[in-house]
Short mmCIF file of all heavy atoms in Angstrom, two decimals:
data_model
loop_
_atom_site.label_atom_id
_atom_site.label_comp_id
_atom_site.label_asym_id
_atom_site.label_seq_id
_atom_site.Cartn_x
_atom_site.Cartn_y
_atom_site.Cartn_z
N MET A 26 -13.74 -24.11 -2.95
CA MET A 26 -14.05 -23.83 -1.60
C MET A 26 -14.92 -22.58 -1.47
O MET A 26 -14.70 -21.59 -2.18
CB MET A 26 -12.72 -23.57 -0.83
CG MET A 26 -12.93 -23.09 0.57
SD MET A 26 -11.41 -22.58 1.42
CE MET A 26 -10.19 -23.76 0.92
N LYS A 27 -15.90 -22.61 -0.64
CA LYS A 27 -16.84 -21.51 -0.44
C LYS A 27 -16.75 -21.05 1.02
O LYS A 27 -16.77 -21.88 1.92
CB LYS A 27 -18.25 -22.01 -0.79
CG LYS A 27 -19.26 -20.89 -0.96
CD LYS A 27 -20.66 -21.47 -1.22
CE LYS A 27 -20.81 -21.90 -2.65
NZ LYS A 27 -22.18 -22.19 -3.03
N LYS A 28 -16.72 -19.74 1.22
CA LYS A 28 -16.67 -19.17 2.56
C LYS A 28 -17.63 -18.00 2.65
O LYS A 28 -17.86 -17.31 1.68
CB LYS A 28 -15.27 -18.71 2.94
CG LYS A 28 -14.27 -19.83 3.15
CD LYS A 28 -13.01 -19.26 3.70
CE LYS A 28 -12.16 -20.37 4.32
NZ LYS A 28 -12.13 -20.29 5.78
N THR A 29 -18.16 -17.77 3.84
CA THR A 29 -19.07 -16.66 4.12
C THR A 29 -18.36 -15.65 5.04
O THR A 29 -17.74 -16.06 6.00
CB THR A 29 -20.36 -17.16 4.76
OG1 THR A 29 -20.97 -18.13 3.90
CG2 THR A 29 -21.34 -16.02 5.01
N TYR A 30 -18.49 -14.37 4.71
CA TYR A 30 -17.88 -13.31 5.47
C TYR A 30 -18.87 -12.27 5.87
O TYR A 30 -19.80 -11.97 5.09
CB TYR A 30 -16.78 -12.63 4.62
CG TYR A 30 -15.66 -13.55 4.21
CD1 TYR A 30 -15.74 -14.19 2.97
CD2 TYR A 30 -14.61 -13.81 5.06
CE1 TYR A 30 -14.69 -15.08 2.61
CE2 TYR A 30 -13.59 -14.69 4.68
CZ TYR A 30 -13.64 -15.33 3.44
OH TYR A 30 -12.67 -16.17 3.11
N LYS A 31 -18.71 -11.69 7.04
CA LYS A 31 -19.53 -10.58 7.50
C LYS A 31 -19.02 -9.33 6.83
O LYS A 31 -17.79 -9.12 6.73
CB LYS A 31 -19.50 -10.49 9.02
CG LYS A 31 -20.37 -9.40 9.59
CD LYS A 31 -20.29 -9.41 11.10
CE LYS A 31 -21.01 -8.33 11.78
NZ LYS A 31 -21.70 -7.34 11.11
N ILE A 32 -19.93 -8.52 6.33
CA ILE A 32 -19.54 -7.24 5.66
C ILE A 32 -20.24 -6.07 6.36
O ILE A 32 -21.22 -6.26 7.04
CB ILE A 32 -19.84 -7.26 4.16
CG1 ILE A 32 -21.33 -7.39 3.89
CG2 ILE A 32 -19.08 -8.35 3.45
CD1 ILE A 32 -21.72 -7.09 2.47
N GLU A 33 -19.69 -4.93 6.11
CA GLU A 33 -20.34 -3.66 6.52
C GLU A 33 -20.41 -2.76 5.30
O GLU A 33 -19.42 -2.39 4.74
CB GLU A 33 -19.44 -3.03 7.59
CG GLU A 33 -20.13 -1.98 8.42
CD GLU A 33 -19.25 -1.55 9.61
OE1 GLU A 33 -19.17 -2.33 10.57
OE2 GLU A 33 -18.66 -0.49 9.49
N VAL A 34 -21.67 -2.51 4.94
CA VAL A 34 -21.91 -1.68 3.71
C VAL A 34 -23.17 -0.87 3.95
O VAL A 34 -24.06 -1.29 4.66
CB VAL A 34 -21.99 -2.57 2.44
CG1 VAL A 34 -23.14 -3.50 2.52
CG2 VAL A 34 -22.01 -1.77 1.18
N ASP A 35 -23.20 0.36 3.37
CA ASP A 35 -24.25 1.29 3.71
C ASP A 35 -25.57 1.15 2.93
O ASP A 35 -26.62 1.47 3.45
CB ASP A 35 -23.75 2.73 3.48
CG ASP A 35 -22.61 3.07 4.39
OD1 ASP A 35 -22.51 2.50 5.52
OD2 ASP A 35 -21.72 3.88 3.98
N CYS A 36 -25.50 0.67 1.71
CA CYS A 36 -26.75 0.64 0.91
C CYS A 36 -26.69 -0.54 -0.07
O CYS A 36 -25.65 -1.12 -0.32
CB CYS A 36 -26.94 1.96 0.16
SG CYS A 36 -25.74 2.25 -1.15
N ALA A 37 -27.85 -0.88 -0.63
CA ALA A 37 -27.95 -2.02 -1.58
C ALA A 37 -27.16 -1.75 -2.84
O ALA A 37 -26.52 -2.65 -3.38
CB ALA A 37 -29.41 -2.30 -1.88
N ASN A 38 -27.13 -0.54 -3.32
CA ASN A 38 -26.36 -0.17 -4.49
C ASN A 38 -24.87 -0.39 -4.26
O ASN A 38 -24.18 -0.92 -5.11
CB ASN A 38 -26.63 1.27 -4.93
CG ASN A 38 -26.02 1.60 -6.26
OD1 ASN A 38 -26.05 0.82 -7.14
ND2 ASN A 38 -25.47 2.77 -6.33
N CYS A 39 -24.42 -0.04 -3.07
CA CYS A 39 -23.02 -0.21 -2.69
C CYS A 39 -22.70 -1.73 -2.62
O CYS A 39 -21.60 -2.14 -3.01
CB CYS A 39 -22.69 0.46 -1.37
SG CYS A 39 -22.99 2.23 -1.38
N ALA A 40 -23.62 -2.46 -2.09
CA ALA A 40 -23.46 -3.94 -2.02
C ALA A 40 -23.28 -4.52 -3.40
O ALA A 40 -22.45 -5.39 -3.61
CB ALA A 40 -24.60 -4.57 -1.28
N ASN A 41 -24.07 -4.05 -4.39
CA ASN A 41 -23.91 -4.53 -5.76
C ASN A 41 -22.57 -4.16 -6.35
O ASN A 41 -21.98 -4.96 -7.04
CB ASN A 41 -25.04 -3.92 -6.64
CG ASN A 41 -26.39 -4.55 -6.37
OD1 ASN A 41 -26.47 -5.67 -5.88
ND2 ASN A 41 -27.45 -3.82 -6.66
N LYS A 42 -22.06 -2.99 -6.01
CA LYS A 42 -20.75 -2.61 -6.50
C LYS A 42 -19.67 -3.46 -5.89
O LYS A 42 -18.71 -3.84 -6.54
CB LYS A 42 -20.47 -1.13 -6.16
CG LYS A 42 -21.29 -0.14 -6.97
CD LYS A 42 -20.97 1.28 -6.51
CE LYS A 42 -21.81 2.33 -7.25
NZ LYS A 42 -21.52 3.66 -6.75
N MET A 43 -19.83 -3.79 -4.60
CA MET A 43 -18.86 -4.68 -3.94
C MET A 43 -18.87 -6.07 -4.55
O MET A 43 -17.84 -6.68 -4.74
CB MET A 43 -19.17 -4.76 -2.45
CG MET A 43 -18.78 -3.56 -1.65
SD MET A 43 -19.22 -3.79 0.10
CE MET A 43 -18.15 -5.14 0.58
N GLU A 44 -20.08 -6.56 -4.86
CA GLU A 44 -20.18 -7.89 -5.48
C GLU A 44 -19.49 -7.89 -6.82
O GLU A 44 -18.72 -8.82 -7.12
CB GLU A 44 -21.64 -8.22 -5.68
CG GLU A 44 -21.89 -9.60 -6.29
CD GLU A 44 -23.36 -9.97 -6.32
OE1 GLU A 44 -23.95 -10.11 -5.25
OE2 GLU A 44 -23.87 -10.11 -7.45
N GLU A 45 -19.65 -6.84 -7.62
CA GLU A 45 -19.01 -6.79 -8.92
C GLU A 45 -17.48 -6.71 -8.77
O GLU A 45 -16.74 -7.40 -9.48
CB GLU A 45 -19.52 -5.55 -9.72
CG GLU A 45 -18.97 -5.48 -11.13
CD GLU A 45 -19.56 -4.30 -11.90
OE1 GLU A 45 -20.68 -3.85 -11.57
OE2 GLU A 45 -18.88 -3.86 -12.80
N ALA A 46 -17.01 -5.91 -7.80
CA ALA A 46 -15.61 -5.78 -7.56
C ALA A 46 -14.98 -7.11 -7.12
O ALA A 46 -13.89 -7.52 -7.57
CB ALA A 46 -15.30 -4.71 -6.53
N ALA A 47 -15.68 -7.80 -6.22
CA ALA A 47 -15.24 -9.14 -5.78
C ALA A 47 -15.15 -10.16 -6.89
O ALA A 47 -14.18 -10.88 -7.01
CB ALA A 47 -16.13 -9.64 -4.64
N ASN A 48 -16.16 -10.12 -7.77
CA ASN A 48 -16.17 -11.07 -8.88
C ASN A 48 -15.07 -10.78 -9.90
O ASN A 48 -14.69 -11.67 -10.67
CB ASN A 48 -17.55 -11.03 -9.56
CG ASN A 48 -18.52 -11.94 -8.88
OD1 ASN A 48 -18.26 -13.10 -8.64
ND2 ASN A 48 -19.68 -11.39 -8.53
N ASN A 49 -14.54 -9.55 -9.91
CA ASN A 49 -13.46 -9.20 -10.82
C ASN A 49 -12.09 -9.37 -10.22
O ASN A 49 -11.06 -8.92 -10.75
CB ASN A 49 -13.59 -7.72 -11.29
CG ASN A 49 -14.79 -7.63 -12.27
OD1 ASN A 49 -15.09 -8.52 -13.01
ND2 ASN A 49 -15.48 -6.50 -12.19
N THR A 50 -11.99 -10.01 -9.05
CA THR A 50 -10.73 -10.26 -8.34
C THR A 50 -10.19 -11.63 -8.74
O THR A 50 -10.90 -12.63 -8.71
CB THR A 50 -10.95 -10.24 -6.84
OG1 THR A 50 -11.53 -9.00 -6.46
CG2 THR A 50 -9.63 -10.38 -6.08
N PRO A 51 -8.89 -11.67 -9.16
CA PRO A 51 -8.27 -12.97 -9.45
C PRO A 51 -8.35 -13.93 -8.30
O PRO A 51 -8.14 -13.50 -7.14
CB PRO A 51 -6.81 -12.61 -9.77
CG PRO A 51 -6.86 -11.17 -10.17
CD PRO A 51 -7.96 -10.55 -9.35
N GLY A 52 -8.70 -15.15 -8.57
CA GLY A 52 -8.81 -16.18 -7.51
C GLY A 52 -10.23 -16.39 -7.05
O GLY A 52 -10.55 -17.39 -6.37
N VAL A 53 -11.16 -15.46 -7.43
CA VAL A 53 -12.58 -15.60 -7.08
C VAL A 53 -13.33 -16.20 -8.25
O VAL A 53 -13.30 -15.66 -9.33
CB VAL A 53 -13.20 -14.23 -6.68
CG1 VAL A 53 -14.68 -14.38 -6.45
CG2 VAL A 53 -12.48 -13.68 -5.45
N GLN A 54 -13.99 -17.32 -7.95
CA GLN A 54 -14.81 -17.95 -8.99
C GLN A 54 -16.16 -17.22 -9.05
O GLN A 54 -16.66 -16.92 -10.14
CB GLN A 54 -15.00 -19.42 -8.74
CG GLN A 54 -15.73 -20.17 -9.81
CD GLN A 54 -15.69 -21.64 -9.60
OE1 GLN A 54 -14.85 -22.16 -8.89
NE2 GLN A 54 -16.60 -22.37 -10.23
N LYS A 55 -16.78 -17.02 -7.84
CA LYS A 55 -18.09 -16.33 -7.78
C LYS A 55 -18.24 -15.74 -6.42
O LYS A 55 -17.92 -16.36 -5.40
CB LYS A 55 -19.19 -17.33 -8.05
CG LYS A 55 -20.59 -16.71 -8.02
CD LYS A 55 -21.63 -17.75 -8.44
CE LYS A 55 -23.06 -17.28 -8.24
NZ LYS A 55 -23.46 -16.06 -8.89
N ALA A 56 -18.72 -14.49 -6.40
CA ALA A 56 -19.00 -13.81 -5.15
C ALA A 56 -20.45 -13.29 -5.17
O ALA A 56 -20.90 -12.85 -6.20
CB ALA A 56 -18.02 -12.66 -4.93
N THR A 57 -21.12 -13.39 -4.04
CA THR A 57 -22.48 -12.93 -3.90
C THR A 57 -22.53 -12.10 -2.60
O THR A 57 -22.07 -12.54 -1.54
CB THR A 57 -23.50 -14.10 -3.78
OG1 THR A 57 -23.28 -14.95 -4.90
CG2 THR A 57 -24.88 -13.60 -3.75
N VAL A 58 -23.12 -10.91 -2.70
CA VAL A 58 -23.29 -10.03 -1.54
C VAL A 58 -24.79 -9.91 -1.26
O VAL A 58 -25.60 -9.60 -2.13
CB VAL A 58 -22.70 -8.63 -1.79
CG1 VAL A 58 -22.96 -7.72 -0.62
CG2 VAL A 58 -21.16 -8.76 -1.98
N ASN A 59 -25.16 -10.15 0.00
CA ASN A 59 -26.52 -10.00 0.45
C ASN A 59 -26.59 -8.81 1.40
O ASN A 59 -26.08 -8.89 2.51
CB ASN A 59 -27.01 -11.27 1.14
CG ASN A 59 -28.50 -11.21 1.49
OD1 ASN A 59 -28.99 -10.20 1.90
ND2 ASN A 59 -29.16 -12.31 1.28
N PHE A 60 -27.18 -7.71 0.94
CA PHE A 60 -27.25 -6.50 1.74
C PHE A 60 -28.12 -6.71 2.97
O PHE A 60 -27.79 -6.16 4.06
CB PHE A 60 -27.79 -5.34 0.90
CG PHE A 60 -27.98 -4.09 1.66
CD1 PHE A 60 -26.91 -3.39 2.24
CD2 PHE A 60 -29.29 -3.57 1.89
CE1 PHE A 60 -27.11 -2.22 2.96
CE2 PHE A 60 -29.47 -2.42 2.63
CZ PHE A 60 -28.38 -1.74 3.15
N MET A 61 -29.18 -7.46 2.87
CA MET A 61 -30.11 -7.64 3.98
C MET A 61 -29.46 -8.38 5.16
O MET A 61 -29.71 -8.00 6.32
CB MET A 61 -31.39 -8.38 3.51
CG MET A 61 -32.18 -7.64 2.49
SD MET A 61 -32.74 -6.02 3.05
CE MET A 61 -33.98 -6.50 4.22
N THR A 62 -28.63 -9.35 4.83
CA THR A 62 -27.96 -10.10 5.94
C THR A 62 -26.54 -9.61 6.20
O THR A 62 -25.94 -10.09 7.16
CB THR A 62 -27.88 -11.61 5.59
OG1 THR A 62 -27.13 -11.79 4.39
CG2 THR A 62 -29.32 -12.17 5.39
N LEU A 63 -26.06 -8.67 5.42
CA LEU A 63 -24.71 -8.15 5.51
C LEU A 63 -23.68 -9.26 5.48
O LEU A 63 -22.76 -9.40 6.33
CB LEU A 63 -24.51 -7.32 6.79
CG LEU A 63 -25.34 -6.01 6.78
CD1 LEU A 63 -25.16 -5.29 8.11
CD2 LEU A 63 -24.99 -5.12 5.63
N LYS A 64 -23.81 -10.13 4.45
CA LYS A 64 -22.89 -11.24 4.26
C LYS A 64 -22.41 -11.30 2.79
O LYS A 64 -23.14 -10.93 1.88
CB LYS A 64 -23.54 -12.57 4.62
CG LYS A 64 -23.87 -12.67 6.08
CD LYS A 64 -24.16 -14.10 6.48
CE LYS A 64 -24.62 -14.23 7.91
NZ LYS A 64 -23.78 -13.77 8.93
N MET A 65 -21.19 -11.73 2.65
CA MET A 65 -20.58 -11.96 1.35
C MET A 65 -20.20 -13.45 1.30
O MET A 65 -19.50 -13.92 2.16
CB MET A 65 -19.36 -11.10 1.11
CG MET A 65 -18.65 -11.38 -0.19
SD MET A 65 -17.09 -10.45 -0.38
CE MET A 65 -17.71 -8.90 -0.97
N ILE A 66 -20.67 -14.15 0.25
CA ILE A 66 -20.30 -15.55 0.04
C ILE A 66 -19.33 -15.56 -1.14
O ILE A 66 -19.66 -15.05 -2.20
CB ILE A 66 -21.54 -16.42 -0.25
CG1 ILE A 66 -22.50 -16.38 0.95
CG2 ILE A 66 -21.09 -17.87 -0.52
CD1 ILE A 66 -23.85 -16.98 0.64
N VAL A 67 -18.14 -16.08 -0.88
CA VAL A 67 -17.11 -16.14 -1.92
C VAL A 67 -16.75 -17.59 -2.21
O VAL A 67 -16.43 -18.35 -1.30
CB VAL A 67 -15.85 -15.40 -1.47
CG1 VAL A 67 -14.79 -15.40 -2.58
CG2 VAL A 67 -16.17 -13.96 -1.09
N GLU A 68 -16.85 -17.95 -3.46
CA GLU A 68 -16.39 -19.28 -3.93
C GLU A 68 -15.07 -19.04 -4.63
O GLU A 68 -14.98 -18.26 -5.57
CB GLU A 68 -17.43 -19.87 -4.87
CG GLU A 68 -17.14 -21.31 -5.20
CD GLU A 68 -18.28 -21.94 -6.02
OE1 GLU A 68 -19.42 -21.46 -5.95
OE2 GLU A 68 -17.97 -22.97 -6.68
N PHE A 69 -14.03 -19.71 -4.15
CA PHE A 69 -12.67 -19.50 -4.64
C PHE A 69 -12.36 -20.48 -5.76
O PHE A 69 -12.87 -21.66 -5.74
CB PHE A 69 -11.66 -19.65 -3.52
CG PHE A 69 -11.86 -18.65 -2.42
CD1 PHE A 69 -12.64 -18.92 -1.30
CD2 PHE A 69 -11.29 -17.37 -2.48
CE1 PHE A 69 -12.83 -18.02 -0.32
CE2 PHE A 69 -11.51 -16.45 -1.53
CZ PHE A 69 -12.26 -16.77 -0.39
N GLU A 70 -11.50 -20.07 -6.71
CA GLU A 70 -11.05 -20.98 -7.74
C GLU A 70 -10.19 -22.09 -7.10
O GLU A 70 -9.61 -21.88 -6.01
CB GLU A 70 -10.22 -20.19 -8.77
CG GLU A 70 -11.08 -19.20 -9.56
CD GLU A 70 -10.29 -18.34 -10.52
OE1 GLU A 70 -9.02 -18.37 -10.47
OE2 GLU A 70 -10.91 -17.65 -11.27
N ASP A 71 -10.12 -23.24 -7.74
CA ASP A 71 -9.36 -24.34 -7.24
C ASP A 71 -7.91 -23.91 -6.99
O ASP A 71 -7.27 -23.25 -7.83
CB ASP A 71 -9.37 -25.51 -8.23
CG ASP A 71 -10.72 -26.21 -8.28
OD1 ASP A 71 -11.50 -26.06 -7.32
OD2 ASP A 71 -11.01 -26.92 -9.27
N GLY A 72 -7.41 -24.32 -5.85
CA GLY A 72 -6.01 -24.06 -5.49
C GLY A 72 -5.73 -22.68 -4.94
O GLY A 72 -4.57 -22.35 -4.60
N GLN A 73 -6.77 -21.82 -4.82
CA GLN A 73 -6.54 -20.48 -4.30
C GLN A 73 -6.69 -20.47 -2.78
O GLN A 73 -7.62 -21.12 -2.26
CB GLN A 73 -7.54 -19.51 -4.90
CG GLN A 73 -7.36 -19.31 -6.41
CD GLN A 73 -6.03 -18.66 -6.75
OE1 GLN A 73 -5.58 -17.76 -6.06
NE2 GLN A 73 -5.40 -19.17 -7.81
N ASP A 74 -5.84 -19.77 -2.10
CA ASP A 74 -5.87 -19.66 -0.64
C ASP A 74 -6.64 -18.39 -0.26
O ASP A 74 -6.23 -17.26 -0.57
CB ASP A 74 -4.46 -19.61 -0.09
CG ASP A 74 -4.41 -19.68 1.43
OD1 ASP A 74 -5.44 -19.43 2.10
OD2 ASP A 74 -3.33 -20.03 1.94
N PRO A 75 -7.78 -18.56 0.46
CA PRO A 75 -8.57 -17.38 0.87
C PRO A 75 -7.76 -16.33 1.65
O PRO A 75 -8.03 -15.14 1.56
CB PRO A 75 -9.67 -17.97 1.76
CG PRO A 75 -9.79 -19.39 1.28
CD PRO A 75 -8.40 -19.79 0.88
N LYS A 76 -6.70 -16.75 2.39
CA LYS A 76 -5.91 -15.82 3.15
C LYS A 76 -5.21 -14.80 2.27
O LYS A 76 -4.90 -13.71 2.68
CB LYS A 76 -4.88 -16.56 4.01
CG LYS A 76 -5.43 -17.24 5.20
CD LYS A 76 -4.35 -17.83 6.04
CE LYS A 76 -3.87 -19.12 5.41
NZ LYS A 76 -2.98 -19.91 6.21
N PHE A 77 -4.91 -15.22 1.01
CA PHE A 77 -4.23 -14.32 0.07
C PHE A 77 -5.21 -13.60 -0.85
O PHE A 77 -4.96 -12.47 -1.26
CB PHE A 77 -3.17 -15.10 -0.74
CG PHE A 77 -2.12 -15.68 0.11
CD1 PHE A 77 -2.04 -17.06 0.27
CD2 PHE A 77 -1.18 -14.88 0.73
CE1 PHE A 77 -1.01 -17.61 1.08
CE2 PHE A 77 -0.20 -15.44 1.53
CZ PHE A 77 -0.10 -16.79 1.69
N VAL A 78 -6.34 -14.25 -1.13
CA VAL A 78 -7.31 -13.66 -2.08
C VAL A 78 -8.15 -12.57 -1.43
O VAL A 78 -8.40 -11.54 -2.00
CB VAL A 78 -8.20 -14.77 -2.69
CG1 VAL A 78 -9.28 -14.17 -3.59
CG2 VAL A 78 -7.35 -15.79 -3.47
N MET A 79 -8.58 -12.81 -0.18
CA MET A 79 -9.49 -11.85 0.45
C MET A 79 -8.94 -10.46 0.68
O MET A 79 -9.69 -9.46 0.53
CB MET A 79 -10.01 -12.45 1.83
CG MET A 79 -11.06 -13.53 1.60
SD MET A 79 -12.40 -13.11 0.49
CE MET A 79 -13.21 -11.79 1.41
N PRO A 80 -7.67 -10.31 1.00
CA PRO A 80 -7.16 -8.90 1.06
C PRO A 80 -7.25 -8.19 -0.30
O PRO A 80 -7.51 -6.99 -0.35
CB PRO A 80 -5.66 -9.08 1.48
CG PRO A 80 -5.67 -10.35 2.24
CD PRO A 80 -6.70 -11.23 1.53
N GLU A 81 -7.11 -8.94 -1.38
CA GLU A 81 -7.30 -8.36 -2.71
C GLU A 81 -8.76 -8.03 -2.97
O GLU A 81 -9.04 -6.98 -3.63
CB GLU A 81 -6.71 -9.31 -3.81
CG GLU A 81 -5.22 -9.52 -3.74
CD GLU A 81 -4.48 -8.20 -3.87
OE1 GLU A 81 -4.75 -7.40 -4.77
OE2 GLU A 81 -3.58 -7.96 -3.01
N VAL A 82 -9.65 -8.88 -2.52
CA VAL A 82 -11.10 -8.59 -2.66
C VAL A 82 -11.43 -7.29 -1.92
O VAL A 82 -12.09 -6.42 -2.48
CB VAL A 82 -11.94 -9.77 -2.10
CG1 VAL A 82 -13.43 -9.36 -2.00
CG2 VAL A 82 -11.77 -11.01 -2.98
N LEU A 83 -10.92 -7.17 -0.68
CA LEU A 83 -11.19 -5.95 0.09
C LEU A 83 -10.60 -4.73 -0.58
O LEU A 83 -11.26 -3.70 -0.69
CB LEU A 83 -10.62 -6.07 1.51
CG LEU A 83 -10.80 -4.86 2.42
CD1 LEU A 83 -12.29 -4.58 2.64
CD2 LEU A 83 -10.11 -5.11 3.77
N LYS A 84 -9.41 -4.85 -1.14
CA LYS A 84 -8.77 -3.74 -1.82
C LYS A 84 -9.63 -3.26 -3.04
O LYS A 84 -9.82 -2.10 -3.24
CB LYS A 84 -7.36 -4.13 -2.29
CG LYS A 84 -6.54 -2.97 -2.83
CD LYS A 84 -5.21 -3.39 -3.44
CE LYS A 84 -4.40 -4.27 -2.55
NZ LYS A 84 -3.14 -4.71 -3.17
N ASN A 85 -10.14 -4.26 -3.80
CA ASN A 85 -10.94 -3.95 -4.99
C ASN A 85 -12.30 -3.35 -4.53
O ASN A 85 -12.79 -2.43 -5.18
CB ASN A 85 -11.20 -5.20 -5.84
CG ASN A 85 -9.98 -5.55 -6.65
OD1 ASN A 85 -9.07 -4.74 -6.81
ND2 ASN A 85 -9.94 -6.78 -7.14
N CYS A 86 -12.86 -3.85 -3.46
CA CYS A 86 -14.15 -3.30 -2.99
C CYS A 86 -13.95 -1.88 -2.46
O CYS A 86 -14.84 -1.02 -2.68
CB CYS A 86 -14.68 -4.20 -1.85
SG CYS A 86 -15.36 -5.76 -2.45
N LYS A 87 -12.84 -1.58 -1.85
CA LYS A 87 -12.61 -0.23 -1.34
C LYS A 87 -12.39 0.79 -2.49
O LYS A 87 -12.59 1.97 -2.27
CB LYS A 87 -11.40 -0.21 -0.37
CG LYS A 87 -11.81 -0.76 0.99
CD LYS A 87 -10.80 -0.46 2.02
CE LYS A 87 -11.25 -0.92 3.40
NZ LYS A 87 -12.14 -0.04 4.05
N LYS A 88 -12.03 0.28 -3.71
CA LYS A 88 -11.92 1.18 -4.85
C LYS A 88 -13.25 1.73 -5.22
O LYS A 88 -13.34 2.84 -5.71
CB LYS A 88 -11.29 0.42 -6.04
CG LYS A 88 -9.83 0.17 -5.87
CD LYS A 88 -9.27 -0.60 -7.07
CE LYS A 88 -7.84 -1.02 -6.84
NZ LYS A 88 -7.37 -1.93 -7.92
N VAL A 89 -14.32 0.90 -5.06
CA VAL A 89 -15.67 1.37 -5.46
C VAL A 89 -16.47 1.86 -4.30
O VAL A 89 -17.41 2.65 -4.48
CB VAL A 89 -16.46 0.23 -6.19
CG1 VAL A 89 -15.79 -0.10 -7.49
CG2 VAL A 89 -16.65 -0.98 -5.32
N GLU A 90 -16.17 1.44 -3.08
CA GLU A 90 -16.91 1.87 -1.89
C GLU A 90 -15.89 1.95 -0.76
O GLU A 90 -15.63 0.99 -0.02
CB GLU A 90 -18.02 0.89 -1.59
CG GLU A 90 -18.96 1.31 -0.51
CD GLU A 90 -19.63 2.64 -0.82
OE1 GLU A 90 -20.02 2.91 -1.96
OE2 GLU A 90 -19.67 3.48 0.10
N ASP A 91 -15.30 3.15 -0.59
CA ASP A 91 -14.12 3.26 0.28
C ASP A 91 -14.37 3.04 1.77
O ASP A 91 -13.46 2.78 2.50
CB ASP A 91 -13.38 4.60 0.08
CG ASP A 91 -14.27 5.80 0.40
OD1 ASP A 91 -15.49 5.61 0.62
OD2 ASP A 91 -13.73 6.93 0.45
N ASP A 92 -15.62 3.09 2.22
CA ASP A 92 -15.85 2.84 3.64
C ASP A 92 -16.46 1.47 3.94
O ASP A 92 -16.87 1.20 5.08
CB ASP A 92 -16.80 3.96 4.21
CG ASP A 92 -18.18 3.94 3.60
OD1 ASP A 92 -18.38 3.33 2.54
OD2 ASP A 92 -19.06 4.56 4.21
N CYS A 93 -16.36 0.56 2.98
CA CYS A 93 -16.88 -0.80 3.20
C CYS A 93 -15.89 -1.60 4.04
O CYS A 93 -14.71 -1.23 4.12
CB CYS A 93 -17.15 -1.53 1.87
SG CYS A 93 -15.64 -1.96 1.00
N GLU A 94 -16.35 -2.64 4.69
CA GLU A 94 -15.49 -3.51 5.45
C GLU A 94 -15.90 -4.96 5.21
O GLU A 94 -17.09 -5.26 5.07
CB GLU A 94 -15.60 -3.23 6.96
CG GLU A 94 -14.86 -1.99 7.42
CD GLU A 94 -13.33 -2.04 7.19
OE1 GLU A 94 -12.73 -3.11 7.19
OE2 GLU A 94 -12.78 -0.96 7.00
N ILE A 95 -14.91 -5.80 5.19
CA ILE A 95 -15.14 -7.26 5.11
C ILE A 95 -14.38 -7.85 6.26
O ILE A 95 -13.16 -7.59 6.40
CB ILE A 95 -14.61 -7.86 3.78
CG1 ILE A 95 -15.29 -7.16 2.56
CG2 ILE A 95 -14.90 -9.37 3.75
CD1 ILE A 95 -14.69 -7.54 1.22
N PHE A 96 -14.97 -8.66 7.09
CA PHE A 96 -14.36 -9.22 8.26
C PHE A 96 -13.96 -10.65 7.99
O PHE A 96 -14.81 -11.55 7.81
CB PHE A 96 -15.30 -9.12 9.44
CG PHE A 96 -15.70 -7.72 9.72
CD1 PHE A 96 -16.91 -7.21 9.29
CD2 PHE A 96 -14.84 -6.86 10.41
CE1 PHE A 96 -17.28 -5.89 9.53
CE2 PHE A 96 -15.20 -5.53 10.66
CZ PHE A 96 -16.42 -5.03 10.22
N PHE A 97 -12.64 -10.88 7.81
CA PHE A 97 -12.14 -12.23 7.57
C PHE A 97 -11.05 -12.60 8.48
O PHE A 97 -10.52 -11.79 9.24
CB PHE A 97 -11.71 -12.40 6.10
CG PHE A 97 -10.84 -11.33 5.53
CD1 PHE A 97 -9.50 -11.41 5.62
CD2 PHE A 97 -11.40 -10.23 4.90
CE1 PHE A 97 -8.67 -10.41 5.10
CE2 PHE A 97 -10.64 -9.24 4.34
CZ PHE A 97 -9.24 -9.33 4.45
#
């Protein structure tokens, strides 16, 4: 399953850090962050519920960029 989320991030470098953090989250097969459109596309592993995975993605992203936001 693939979902798109609106994000709030300050710079392209921060967006890259968020993408890496999201990709290192259990339950995420692949995540892509587009700084220009302020969107994050997350492809979830089979059987994973986005309602449970996305709070973990946000937690991991805040470790590298504490003022980022993901709207889900």
